[in-house]
Amino acid sequence: MPFYQRLGDVPRKRHIQFRDNGTLLTEEVMGLEGFTGNESILYHLQSPCRVMELGPFVPTVHEEWVPDAHAHRHLKTAGVAPEGDEITGRRTLMWNADVEISLCRPSESMDYFFRNGEGDEVIFVHEGSGTLETIFGALPYREGDYVVVPRGTTYRFKPQGPQRHLVFETPGLIEIPRRYRNQSGQIVEGAPYYHRDIHPPTELHTVRERGEFAVKVRVRGGHQTYIVDYHPFDVVGWDGYLFPWTFSIHDFEPITGRIHQPPPSHQTFQGRNFVICSFCPRKLDFDPLAVPIPYHHSNLQSEEMIYYVSGNFGSRRGVEAGSITLHPSGLPHGPQPGLAEQALGIHETSELAVMCDTFHPLKLSTFARDLDDGIYWRSWYENAQPGADEAGADATGAGLTSHL
Ligand SMILES: [Fe+2]
């Protein structure tokens, strides 16, 4: 994060003696890009290297589904049964070398701590609230939040109520788009959100507790469990630029215009070879001749995944909250026959959706296969047939108010 934060006690200068009840604390520099990127400095009661036992290493296996045909897809995730916890319950939908996208509806609580050792995470909270307990302090979250967790953050979910998460994990960095920041890192005027919309951990709770604690670390294509003899949240203070934070999709200020605004106006985060965008309720194009739904477009260099959160897509048969449309590269997509005409005069949309565009092809999982409706690719054709009624013309795909 391009701004400085500090919680708890830190010494006057870095790299000098700092004691707690006479005991010299262990200083840990958590940093990116060697020692030149963003970093935070944490002060531990115990060495964070101290491992009592090595637990099991469990490789992550993605079961790939290679479809018989290359086509647009519609996955319906609403009815997915809960399983696992906030980590083990992540079920991969699609992935490539830059990002893994999974759905999580946990049914259990975490009885261990987790750390993504080699990747950043964005957890979009579709349903539920709670607290992400972290070594940087408590991070409250609620429905509509993006929870952004940098690699190296040890954490544990304390959920309240049923949870439904859309999870992005990446070996690259999750960043605020470069064009939203000036050379000092401040978010510029004209960006769709500001620093006040970004919420770092609120309180640091230093836990002084001996025992046996399991820390599961995502590393080297799997999860390695370590048993440590001191509670991982033994930090008395930290400062720096690296910490978990939340940003609510409801705080994204949509950019609208006289005629259609292209998808980059919805960009929320930048990743390595992908972007995450938020489509929020907004006024639509106001030119008298505007066509307030998008033009057809071909994703010549990207794949487009859209997760529908809430709002008015009842006008699109089959697309509901929890639906995912996937428009893979190499194919055009856009409004279905008749929709452009029907959209004329529409001035606002209530839909809420999260989009991830990747610049390299995504692989699909067998989990995605089981959610695929198998007919979405045909919806542009069927709605162009004689006899297709207005409801039919409103069917799946690029909807009346959609950005697609
Ligand atoms: Fe699109």
Side-chain angles (χ1 to χ4, degrees), residues 38-222:
N38 284 352
E39 69 175 30
S40 282
I41 304 177
L42 302 91
Y43 295 88
H44 295 268
L45 295 171
Q46 303 290 337
S47 164
C49 310
R50 206 162 89 179
V51 171
M52 191 164 74
E53 282 178 36
L54 284 179
F57 175 82
V58 180
T60 302
V61 179
H62 292 308
E63 290 182 18
E64 185 179 359
W65 169 45
V66 181
D68 293 336
H70 184 71
H72 295 315
R73 304 276 165 196
H74 173 201
L75 317 178
K76 300 175 87 165
T77 74
V80 167
E83 70 169 45
D85 58 40
E86 287 82 356
I87 305 300
T88 61
R90 293 177 180 177
R91 302 168 75 181
T92 306
L93 291 156
M94 51 195 84
W95 77 96
N96 64 18
D98 301 308
V99 64
E100 291 176 21
I101 304 169
S102 55
L103 186 80
C104 186
R105 294 194 70 199
S107 60
E108 303 163 8
S109 303
M110 292 174 67
D111 58 0
Y112 58 91
F113 299 88
F114 177 72
R115 179 164 77 235
N116 195 325
E118 295 181 335
D120 285 5
E121 300 183 347
V122 174
I123 301 144
F124 175 74
V125 181
H126 185 175
E127 292 173 2
S129 61
T131 302
L132 191 75
E133 297 179 340
T134 82
I135 49 167
F136 295 98
L139 186 68
Y141 67 89
R142 58 186 173 178
E143 165 274 321
D145 277 352
Y146 292 103
V147 182
V148 182
V149 187
R151 68 199 59 217
T153 303
T154 304
Y155 68 82
R156 181 171 64 180
F157 273 91
K158 283 288 174 188
Q160 288 180 341
Q163 309 278 309
R164 186 187 292 268
H165 301 164
L166 181 69
V167 183
F168 302 88
E169 296 174 71
T170 172
L173 299 178
I174 293 292
E175 296 180 293
I176 292 173
R178 184 66 193 89
R179 67 182 187 281
Y180 294 171
R181 296 176 274 139
N182 66 21
Q183 62 179 1
S184 302
Q186 187 170 17
I187 297 175
V188 298
E189 293 292 325
Y193 53 90
Y194 188 53
H195 296 278
R196 294 178 206 179
D197 301 315
I198 290 170
H199 306 288
T202 51
E203 290 177 84
L204 182 66
H205 303 291
T206 306
V207 183
R208 298 164 189 267
E209 187 182 335
R210 292 192 181 281
E212 287 192 14
F213 303 91
V215 181
K216 196 181 286 189
V217 182
R218 179 174 175 167
V219 65
R220 297 293 189 273

